[in-house]
Amino acid sequence: MEFDAAIARSRLAAIEVCSTNLNARERRMATNLAAALKVPPIAASDAHALADVGRYATEFEAFIDSMEELQNALRNGRFQLSDSIATDLEIS
């Protein structure tokens, strides 16, 4: 897989692999990139329509109450894709 070398040098905590703003090809590319860089995948609805709310989700080990808590959870890998998304993407 080819990608900009600057991405590989970045200290990414995670890579978004599912969103209502990504098509199937982009989801596959993001999933492959996350695997190649050994960076955990995340998902978010980023809903712009009521029907998309909760469509994609990342589950956190603890309740997130602030931006700092979110950043710490991401940096420390205290999250996972919801089971249905992981199954759809064949991620374990």
Side-chain angles (χ1 to χ4, degrees):
M1 169 182 200
E2 289 189 36
F3 49 84
D4 189 318
I7 294 173
R9 291 190 302 272
S10 298
R11 294 180 7 193
L12 301 172
I15 293 178
E16 185 176 44
V17 299
C18 282
S19 167
T20 57
N21 298 313
L22 298 175
N23 63 38
R25 179 178 170 273
E26 292 166 332
R27 287 191 298 272
R28 282 191 305 275
M29 289 174 58
T31 300
N32 291 338
L33 178 60
L37 295 179
K38 296 181 171 67
V39 175
I42 60 170
S45 293
D46 192 18
H48 295 256
L50 185 58
D52 290 330
V53 173
R55 186 170 172 192
Y56 299 113
T58 299
E59 297 172 359
F60 291 88
E61 293 176 4
F63 182 77
I64 304 294
D65 197 36
S66 68
M67 185 58 71
E68 182 179 6
E69 289 177 1
L70 175 61
Q71 291 169 335
N72 286 333
L74 290 171
R75 286 186 187 119
N76 294 303
R78 296 189 315 259
F79 63 92
Q80 66 180 19
L81 289 178
S82 69
D83 289 339
S84 61
I85 297 169
T87 301
D88 288 348
L89 294 174
E90 298 178 5
I91 296 172
S92 54

